């Protein structure tokens, strides 16, 4: 290559390097712009997300307490109740606040229920309590909850003595015949004499000890626990007494049916009926039951109680104090069938 050729070659290489350098610089510049833009986008979305969280956090969170058995013999009822509560919270979401469940175990024991209630009430975000699910536990926690600020929706029996007495009298009023035997009255229900129940219902009522033989009666009302109720009814049936057996949500407890069949050992259980106090619009149960065929009526009571608690907290469309009595029969498989819904006087 000549000297002139070498010179031209060097000039061309120098030009190529200059172009390459400029191209590299442009690439670096573009890269920097892309990184800055990406960083800006990240910061923007971070700020936007935090602003959303900030907006959500301004909506107060309240807790709805549930006192129910989650351990021991009655745990199935407890989990059914919790499922019903969650369904109600999902179906009736309040606009002003967010409500979440807080469930504590009672083990179907009065002392355990009192401790659970006291623990619930120490949480200032608890604004309402549903349960307990058994009458004796309702009686055990009544004073503790009544002294608090929370809304209370107990199950099995109403919180006040007067309302509980009206419920018992309403059940007796729907029972067949004029001679009624009442057993298990000491299981958390207001104690009333046979004379008081007779004068208020217009029937001849006898209060009997569950451990002894009952006198002749047209029907029997059991107000005790589910296990004792199964034992009491099995004694009646094994002695050949086929009078209608009535109770409260006791018969809606799976424990009652399971223990009864074990004790009867193939003997017929006879006619069994049970009643529960619903809200001011008992026909709501019919609509609910059509969509929840596998759920027991006791679950609906918790569902309805949760709905009522949300209404009370929000102060929107408060339900009236009227109640209706739903009466069910219990078949051989432990399934409940609605018989009638009547207003409690």
């Amino acid at each position: 290559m000549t000297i002139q050729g070498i010179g031209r070659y060097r000039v061309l290489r120098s030009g190529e390097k200059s172009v390459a350098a400029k191209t590299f610089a442009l690439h670096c510049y573009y890269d920097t712009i892309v990184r800055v833009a990406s960083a800006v986008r990240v910061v923007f979305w971070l700020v936007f997300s935090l602003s959303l969280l900030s907006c959500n956090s301004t909506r107060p969170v309240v807790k709805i307490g549930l006192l129910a058995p989650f351990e021991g013999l009655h745990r199935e009822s407890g989990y059914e109740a919790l499922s019903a509560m969650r369904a109600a919270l999902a179906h009736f979401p309040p606009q002003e606040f967010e409500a979440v469940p807080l469930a504590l175990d009672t083990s179907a024991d009065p002392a355990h229920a009192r401790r659970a209630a006291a623990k619930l009430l120490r949480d200032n975000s608890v604004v309402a309590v549903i349960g307990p699910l058994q009458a004796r536990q309702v009686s055990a926690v009544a004073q503790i909850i009544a002294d608090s600020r929370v809304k209370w929706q107990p199950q099995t029996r109403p919180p006040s003595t007067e309302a509980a007495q009206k419920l018992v009298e309403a059940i007796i009023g729907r029972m067949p015949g004029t001679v009624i035997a009442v057993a298990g009255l000491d299981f958390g229900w207001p104690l009333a004499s046979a004379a008081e129940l007779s004068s208020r219902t217009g029937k001849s009522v006898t209060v009997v000890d569950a451990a002894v033989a009952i006198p002749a009666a047209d029907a029997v009302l059991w107000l005790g626990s589910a296990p004792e109720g199964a034992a009491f009814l099995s004694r009646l049936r094994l002695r050949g007494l086929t009078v209608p057996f009535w109770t409260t949500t006791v018969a809606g407890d799976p424990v009652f049916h399971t223990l009864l069949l074990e004790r009867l050992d193939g003997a017929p259980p006879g006619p069994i009926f049970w009643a529960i106090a619903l809200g001011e619009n008992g026909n709501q149960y019919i609509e609910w039951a059509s969509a929840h065929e596998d759920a027991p009526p006791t679950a609906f009571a918790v569902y309805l109680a949760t709905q009522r608690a949300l209404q009370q907290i929000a102060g929107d469309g408060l339900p009236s104090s009227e109640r209706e009595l739903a009466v069910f029969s219990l078949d051989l498989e432990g399934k409940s069938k609605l018989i009638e819904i009547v207003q409690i006087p």
Side-chain angles (χ1 to χ4, degrees):
M1 181 180 295
T2 65
I3 295 176
Q4 291 84 353
I6 292 172
R8 283 196 300 271
Y9 176 77
R10 286 176 177 171
V11 169
L12 288 174
R13 290 296 296 169
S14 174
E16 288 175 4
K17 289 179 180 179
S18 175
V19 171
K22 289 177 181 177
T23 303
F24 178 74
L26 286 174
H27 277 298
C28 290
Y29 179 69
Y30 176 76
D31 237 17
T32 303
I33 291 175
V34 169
R35 286 198 199 97
V36 170
S38 299
V40 169
R41 281 198 298 270
V42 169
V43 171
F44 171 78
W45 284 113
L46 179 60
V47 171
F48 182 69
S49 300
L50 289 174
S51 69
L52 288 179
L53 290 174
S54 174
C55 291
N56 288 340
S57 64
T58 61
R59 191 165 174 248
V61 176
V62 301
K63 296 174 185 174
I64 310 294
L66 175 63
L67 295 172
F70 297 103
E71 299 290 340
L73 191 64
H74 299 269
R75 61 185 177 276
E76 184 176 344
S77 296
Y79 285 103
E80 286 174 346
L82 180 57
S83 177
M85 173 178 278
R86 284 173 172 160
L89 293 174
H91 294 167
F92 306 102
Q95 300 298 319
E96 303 84 359
F97 55 88
E98 182 181 354
V100 296
L102 177 59
L104 290 186
D105 173 50
T106 65
S107 294
D109 173 73
H112 204 125
R114 277 195 299 272
R115 290 192 294 272
K119 184 176 180 179
L120 267 182
L121 297 175
R122 284 196 293 270
D123 188 334
N124 291 329
S125 60
V126 173
V127 295
V129 175
I130 311 297
L133 306 184
Q134 290 84 21
R136 184 170 278 181
Q137 283 75 66
V138 172
S139 179
V141 306
Q143 194 59 50
I144 299 174
I145 299 181
D147 292 340
S148 72
R149 74 198 185 290
V150 304
K151 310 296 183 183
W152 189 26
Q153 297 285 337
Q155 301 303 297
T156 302
R157 52 148 285 192
S160 71
T161 298
E162 180 182 2
Q165 288 175 340
K166 285 185 178 180
L167 178 58
V168 172
E169 293 162 13
I171 296 174
I172 293 175
R174 303 309 301 174
M175 295 172 66
T178 57
V179 181
I180 306 298
V182 177
L185 189 59
D186 61 329
F187 277 73
W189 291 89
L191 295 178
S193 67
E196 290 173 328
L197 291 174
S198 297
S199 65
R200 293 170 185 164
T201 62
K203 298 192 177 188
S204 177
V205 179
T206 303
V207 177
V208 301
D209 187 336
V212 301
I214 67 167
D218 297 322
V220 175
L221 174 60
W222 173 259
L223 295 174
S225 68
E228 291 296 325
F232 180 80
L233 178 56
S234 66
R235 288 196 296 270
L236 292 182
R237 298 305 188 232
L238 293 175
R239 288 172 49 204
L241 299 176
T242 58
V243 296
F245 178 89
W246 284 61
T247 185
T248 58
T249 54
V250 165
D253 188 331
V255 169
F256 172 81
H257 183 256
T258 300
L259 294 180
L260 178 62
L261 293 185
E262 289 178 0
R263 288 177 174 273
L264 288 175
D265 194 24
I272 302 173
F273 303 90
W274 66 279
I276 189 172
L278 299 178
E280 68 283 358
N281 183 16
N283 287 326
Q284 184 181 354
Y285 168 74
I286 298 174
E287 180 181 350
W288 180 86
S290 64
H292 302 81
E293 295 181 0
D294 295 332
T298 48
F300 173 74
V302 174
Y303 178 90
L304 184 64
T306 306
Q307 179 189 357
R308 289 174 61 84
L310 292 172
Q311 290 174 323
Q312 287 181 303
I313 298 166
D316 181 23
L318 289 177
S320 71
S321 58
E322 294 182 358
R323 291 290 184 274
E324 290 184 335
L325 187 72
V327 179
F328 300 87
S329 63
L330 194 71
D331 65 20
L332 292 174
E333 297 180 353
K335 299 291 184 180
S336 296
K337 178 183 178 182
L338 181 65
I339 301 297
E340 63 176 353
I341 296 177
V342 296
Q343 188 167 336
I344 297 177

